Amino acid sequence: MSEQNEWGSNLSFILAMVGSAVGLGNIWRYPYVLYSNGGGAFYIPYIVAILLMGVPFLILEYGVGYNFKSSFPKAIRKINSKFEYLGWLLPISVFLIMIYYSCILGWDGIYIILSFFKGWGADPNTYFATTLLQSSESVSGITSFIPIIAIAMLISWVIVWYISHKDLEKGLGKVSKILVPLLFIIMIIIVLFSLTLPGAMIGLNELFSPDWSLLLDFNIWMAAFGQIIFSLSLGMSIAFTYASYTGQSSDLITNTLSIAFANCAFENFCALGVFSILGYMSLQSGTAVADLVTQGTGLVFIAYPTVLNVLGQYAYIIGPLFFITVYLAGLTSILSTIEPLAFSIQNKFTWSRHKTMTTLCIIGAVVSMVYATAFGGTLLGYVDAYINQIAILLGVILECIVFAWIFKCEDIVPVLNEKSRTLKLGKWWIYTVKYILPIFITIVWIGGVYDTLKTGSLDQTMTFGLLTLLIAVLVVIFTKLAPTNPNWDDTENRL
């Protein structure tokens, strides 16, 4: 392979990882989670989750990735060849996230254009669900194709391909240095403006008013741990892959602290903007903030356009800035979701980066067209629930056990401590990743599986079954295919 799979600088690595962590979930998921789980009281389990799980697990992924300097499946194979199946489970699952993420990017791309003239009309809810998505909960809706969504998605795929098919530093590294700072700058502008709106304090008071009684509720703690897992992209093999691209002098412990802090600062800053605007909307409409709060696509494509409709001339500035911010957040995240599978294929089959990225982008773009149908929005919800609540979390549990116990995480402590300028690892870290993390993540996984299956429809259950079969087949195929890399079976550790 002629392409270079190595960051040109430590800054490229940090910004790429921040870009991966800072995504749509920070903007449309976290403010709702914070509000619905005790407001200010939520910060106690939130901080505990960061310190107990977020930072320790990221250090584990970075440390093992840095140690092996290889793709995720090859590292797992080196640890124990019987576990190579796990090595393909996570990259494949993350690639499936990328496919439906392209749909959300496509929607947002359309809204960037609409925001210049409030093209969603007086009723954003009807426009989004009926006019744009032509939403149908029936599987028969898959035969109803929506060209404008398909075009918007294909544009996103072309952008992803253009960036990712280049050498790592010339593509992803260079773009991260531009997009991530730009993302933060635009969000700062939006939040500062939001804080000046009449009624902003109504929203902020509603957000931060602590409900201390909820600290005794088990669910608030699970919500905090779940948020950190998804927010920092823990266990998705992304952090592992990015760390495998780092140079010999990287201070991974300090980098972990920087990335965790940047991600948490961004999502809490977003919450300020979201609830300031909801407070303004509450004042203007006379509707209680509690009745306006939503999450996910409802916040971005319905609540925000509704606010922009009553914001006057400012809406023509804030609107485009907001939807551009959402697009940048989605783009920096989606670029990271192709890396684990791409590097794994390069590593086992000696494909070039250009060939691998081009092939994956074509396959992803073709498969993603299923979301450009009337059933697409419903299907997206099913796939998102399955991948995030079932497949990824199961992979995280298994990864934690393999890295902490079979690989023996204590072996990388001296190497990481030697380069660290801040935190030093000790028995506390080893105990955390060996005992506490597997237990907590397993509890979150069981809760997620239970909630998902309990509320699921027949179509959703069938989708889960088909996805399980699809992932299992792909995992077996990639594992069983004969490698063309003569070093694939090399079992030598770098320690």
Side-chain angles (χ1 to χ4, degrees):
M1 293 178 287
S2 60
E3 290 87 354
Q4 294 297 312
N5 279 325
E6 186 169 316
W7 302 115
S9 65
N10 191 55
L11 179 62
S12 296
F13 165 66
I14 292 177
L15 291 178
M17 253 330 289
V18 170
S20 171
V22 171
L24 300 180
N26 301 84
I27 298 173
W28 73 24
R29 185 178 190 271
Y30 177 72
Y32 178 84
V33 172
L34 173 59
Y35 171 76
S36 60
N37 286 281
F42 181 72
Y43 282 112
I44 293 178
Y46 178 77
I47 293 171
V48 170
I50 294 170
L51 298 178
L52 196 61
M53 182 173 64
V55 170
F57 196 95
L58 267 186
I59 292 174
L60 178 65
E61 280 200 281
Y62 286 155
V64 181
Y66 172 82
N67 172 74
F68 284 105
K69 291 286 186 181
S70 68
S71 65
F72 192 70
K74 185 175 182 181
I76 297 293
R77 184 175 177 81
K78 280 187 174 185
I79 294 171
N80 189 318
S81 61
K82 296 178 182 178
F83 297 136
E84 186 182 336
Y85 294 100
L86 169 61
W88 290 102
L89 170 63
L90 285 173
I92 289 170
S93 298
V94 171
F95 183 67
L96 293 180
I97 292 177
M98 179 187 189
I99 293 175
Y100 72 72
Y101 225 70
S102 68
C103 177
I104 301 172
L105 268 187
W107 294 346
D108 187 69
I110 293 170
Y111 269 73
I112 290 176
I113 306 299
L114 295 176
S115 65
F116 285 98
F117 56 94
K118 300 181 183 178
W120 45 74
D123 187 353
N125 188 19
T126 300
Y127 177 83
F128 179 64
T130 306
T131 307
L132 179 62
L133 300 190
Q134 301 172 32
S135 187
S136 170
E137 294 186 1
S138 171
V139 178
S140 62
I142 207 166
T143 60
S144 179
F145 193 66
I146 307 172
I148 188 173
I149 294 179
I151 293 170
M153 289 170 64
L154 289 174
I155 291 172
S156 298
W157 279 107
V158 170
I159 294 172
V160 169
W161 170 82
Y162 180 76
I163 296 170
S164 62
H165 86 283
K166 299 180 179 181
D167 286 358
L168 186 69
E169 181 60 29
K170 293 179 181 178
L172 182 57
K174 183 177 181 180
V175 166
S176 295
K177 290 178 181 177
I178 298 171
L179 294 188
V180 175
L182 182 60
L183 172 61
F184 275 73
I185 290 170
I186 297 177
M187 183 53 72
I188 289 172
I189 293 172
I190 292 174
V191 172
L192 291 179
F193 171 79
S194 303
L195 292 172
T196 66
L197 292 172
M201 288 307 299
I202 296 175
L204 295 180
N205 287 333
E206 189 77 19
L207 172 63
F208 292 115
S209 296
D211 184 350
W212 300 112
S213 65
L214 287 181
L215 288 177
L216 299 177
D217 186 345
F218 180 73
N219 290 325
I220 187 177
W221 292 87
M222 289 304 97
F225 278 84
Q227 174 64 26
I228 296 302
I229 289 172
F230 300 127
S231 180
L232 289 174
S233 302
L234 299 181
M236 292 187 181
S237 68
I238 294 172
F240 177 96
T241 303
Y242 277 14
S244 71
Y245 298 154
T246 58
Q248 297 295 327
S249 60
S250 294
D251 179 356
L252 293 176
I253 296 178
T254 302
N255 288 347
T256 299
L257 298 175
S258 301
I259 292 162
F261 174 80
N263 175 76
C264 296
F266 182 83
E267 64 186 9
N268 279 285
F269 202 62
C270 287
L272 294 179
V274 167
F275 273 80
S276 293
I277 291 176
L278 289 176
Y280 169 79
M281 187 175 174
S282 174
L283 182 65
Q284 296 295 314
S285 64
T287 305
V289 171
D291 296 327
L292 299 173
V293 179
T294 183
Q295 67 170 327
T297 53
L299 173 64
V300 174
F301 301 117
I302 299 173
Y304 251 86
T306 301
V307 171
L308 294 171
N309 279 350
V310 298
L311 200 55
Q313 294 301 312
Y314 290 118
Y316 297 108
I317 300 174
I318 294 300
L321 283 178
F322 172 74
F323 287 109
I324 289 172
T325 302
V326 172
Y327 199 89
L328 293 179
L331 185 59
T332 56
S333 292
I334 199 174
L335 285 168
S336 69
T337 55
I338 196 173
E339 287 292 334
L341 184 57
F343 188 35
S344 300
I345 292 172
Q346 293 173 67
N347 206 191
K348 185 169 184 176
F349 305 111
T350 59
W351 283 20
S352 68
R353 184 176 176 87
H354 180 278
K355 178 181 178 181
T356 307
M357 293 298 186
T358 301
T359 302
L360 288 179
C361 283
I362 291 174
I363 293 172
V366 171
V367 175
S368 70
M369 289 300 104
V370 71
Y371 296 111
T373 65
F375 186 61
T378 302
L379 180 63
L380 190 153
Y382 294 166
V383 177
D384 177 64
Y386 176 83
I387 296 295
N388 283 302
Q389 297 288 353
I390 298 177
I392 290 291
L393 278 182
L394 177 60
V396 171
I397 296 166
L398 297 174
E399 176 187 337
C400 193
I401 293 171
V402 171
F403 284 176
W405 286 93
I406 301 174
F407 171 71
K408 294 183 179 179
C409 60
E410 54 266 34
D411 290 345
I412 60 175
V413 170
V415 177
L416 294 176
N417 281 343
E418 180 184 350
K419 295 179 173 61
S420 177
R421 300 186 305 274
T422 52
L423 182 68
K424 299 294 183 181
L425 303 182
K427 291 183 179 180
W428 64 270
W429 179 75
I430 297 170
Y431 183 85
T432 299
V433 298
K434 277 193 168 185
Y435 300 100
I436 297 177
L437 289 187
I439 293 172
F440 270 91
I441 299 172
T442 300
I443 293 171
V444 174
W445 179 70
I446 292 173
V449 171
Y450 176 76
D451 288 342
T452 303
L453 295 179
K454 181 181 68 173
T455 59
S457 62
L458 177 60
D459 287 343
Q460 185 179 32
T461 303
M462 291 178 63
T463 302
F464 284 7
L466 290 173
L467 285 170
T468 301
L469 180 62
L470 173 64
I471 293 174
V473 169
L474 290 175
V475 165
V476 171
I477 290 174
F478 277 111
T479 303
K480 294 297 185 181
L481 281 175
T484 57
N485 181 354
N487 298 319
W488 181 253
D489 291 319
D490 174 24
T491 57
E492 180 184 353
N493 268 351
R494 284 173 41 82
L495 286 170

